[in-house]
Amino acid sequence: MKKSVLSLILLFATASAAIAQNNNLRPVDDGTFTADGYKENRNLGRSDSIQSQHKEIPRGIKVWTIDERFGDRKPAVLDTLSYMFMNTVFNTGVRGEYNSLGNLGSPRQNRIFIDRKSPSEFFFLDPYDMFIVQPGDFKFTSTLSPITILDYNTAGNRTDGEDHFKAIFAVNAGKEWGFGFKFDYLYGRGYYSNQSTSHFNYSMWGSYLGERYQAHLLLSLNHQKVTENGGIANDAYITHPEAFNDSYSESEIPTILQQNWNRNDNQHIFFNHRYSLGFFRKVPMTEEEIKAKQFALKSHKAQEEKQEKAKARQRAKAQGEKFDEEAYDKEERSNGRPDNAVIAGDASQAKKESTDSINKNERTIVNLDDSTSVADNKKSATVKDSTTQWMKDEYVPVTSFIHTLRFDNYRRIYQAYNTPTDFYAQNYFNYGTAANDSIYDRTKHWSLKNTFAIALLEGFNKWAKAGLKAFVSYELRHYELPSMQTPTGSTVAFLGREEKWNQHDLSIGGQLLKSQGKTLHYDVSAEAWLVGTRSGQFHVDGHADINFPLFGDTVKLAATAFLHRSAASFYMNQFHGKHYWWDNNLDQQIHSRILGELTLEKTHTKLRVGYDVLKNYTYFGIQNDRTLSGDNYLVQHNQLNVRQSGSPISLLTLQLQQKLRFGIFNWENVLTLQKSSKDDILPVPTFNAYSNLFIRFRIARVLHCDFGVDMRYFTSYYAPEYIPGIGAFGIQETAASRTKIGNYPVLDAYANFRLQHTRFFVMFSHVNSSDGGNYFFTPHYPLNQRILRFGLSWNFFN
């Protein structure tokens, strides 16, 4: 049913897109989308619905992200390039940097620690960051004409395949109002049994960009459902299939768990608005704004001509005459002045009078100096009027008053109907009058946060080299967890009523920012929590970069540093479930980092060096026994604990990103070295590599092609193990069953194409799959074997 509905949606979208204009869209650095190739093809930039009227539709879209605290807009780039498009479908990341359970939409964790995001308050959703977009990463839009973006990729069949469909629509009502919505549906059936995933997202956004007042609103609904199989029952089904008498397909390999699910439902509201005091100044219009104004003027003129023609038709009808449209159009063309007509100055008139006098054999003395002077003055006035026509009044804000509201509502359910005997070490309560193997752990959480800020903005004059901001935030959080009760005279505990907590915090902070200019930029911000549960917490963040030319290249040096003293999540301190239960009083974690970056634009080189120090590092420790029983392992006495490392942990990271090009040959590499001072607490692979070798060429000057093979690889290490009952990753603590993964290259062969604004690819993922491979990106969760994949992205203006 779902497959049919998805196919119907795609068919409808394709049919709708077929009547839209195929434009050659050119993305530029500021995130703008513009139409390219007007001279080569006069039909480009026109809507099919009005091509017969020869009207040009303005093309262009700008996207930006919003600072969650101050509402500052940061230009972003719309995803329209075919480069790396084929890898956007992978749960393991565009460059294979994530550990994953293998299936599309399954939980994941970044192996590169400096790129790993800090745990959120509701950490159950952190492993789904591929699908859930935070407000600070969401791309708002402003478009000159409505745009629709359709993405679809698929692999496999109805039994074990994967499908991902996403539709984005954006439109503007005038230049100030922008609106849009996004529909995102992901369904991974799973090549291994009991691992299907189903994710749904619907988001709506709106923005108002006035001169003094600006506002952004984002509404988002998410649902995630993941079937948990606990991993396969024996890794040897993958690593040593010859050890078994029977041959097993992927779907026939036994798994640890059956009929177990994690469900997450969450809703989000984000609203930021600001009012600014300032002044006006004249600035030139952008190319897109000029095109939009020209289009508006032409449309207005065409509408007036249409109305005049209708009136002439009515007059002829009222007078009993036949209206001659051909004669009327001919008369209008002769009366009208061509668009490229030039207004003659006095010099031309003097020349004409002088010629007439000569023809009349008259002697006329003309003061050419005065005449030329008058002509120059009128010509300057004409140029000035023409220049003024394409100028606009820009409002320069000096001081802004900002308010941000964010509301997040979460619900998580872990449900199981078939739990193996002795799988869990503890059984804290029962749901009925007798012990059973069913699980229905549930928690609810919502948070409401208001931030008020005042900003003295940079750039309103040459002396304002930086902006200064101050803010105050108040957050209220609510939590619900089950409680247990023991009846009088009984030794068995049962599920009781929901236990509820309310927490609140008050924090203040400020920011010093310089983002304008080409040479030096810096950003320093600080926040301290004064009152509430997180009292004593503070965050200090700093970033600076300098850009300068060197030997014909542009060099960028950047440094990022922070010092964070952070309280652990509520759920790290308290969690109540049937088999996992803890009440902790954890110390605040102290995390410091310094990260340096060197970028050479001409040689496409980027070097990153980072050093982290963590004190009171907080993590999950997982313990279990794996006992061989026949061909399969029994996992028993599963126990989960929250750990905190008292002694500091240091981690050094060195990463090189290098792109090389030799004619049509391209080679991209991302090489990362990491060293943790405590691998048993903070494990990372020593070496991580991504390499992409491809050729790039064009066919008939319009079809852009990339043919290549890419590889992802990391050295073996004791990677974090996935914990179905909590939906997170934890450290393997049982020495007898600790399992290493890695030391296995995964190769993909692909063909990437772009035809005007349509992108598509065909790919064989894991092309080197064979019996005996150690292709695990999470302990006991193998990757999918060789699969043929197809993907399509169609961007068109309505």
Side-chain angles (χ1 to χ4, degrees), residues 73-93:
R73 291 186 296 153
K74 181 180 179 180
V77 178
L78 199 64
D79 179 22
T80 59
L81 299 179
S82 60
Y83 171 67
M84 300 296 288
F85 173 52
M86 71 288 176
N87 283 359
T88 59
V89 306
F90 287 129
N91 212 46
T92 54

Side-chain angles (χ1 to χ4, degrees), residues 689-714:
Y690 173 78
S691 186
N692 183 19
L693 183 62
F694 62 99
I695 58 173
R696 171 171 292 174
F697 58 93
R698 289 191 298 175
I699 298 178
R701 298 185 179 181
V702 294
L703 181 61
H704 298 253
C705 307
D706 291 345
F707 291 169
V709 176
D710 66 351
M711 178 203 72
R712 62 275 298 140
Y713 170 86
F714 58 92

Side-chain angles (χ1 to χ4, degrees), residues 468-481:
L468 182 63
K469 304 172 185 176
F471 67 91
V472 57
S473 292
Y474 176 79
E475 183 176 13
L476 174 64
R477 299 182 300 277
H478 176 82
Y479 308 88
E480 295 183 15
L481 283 171

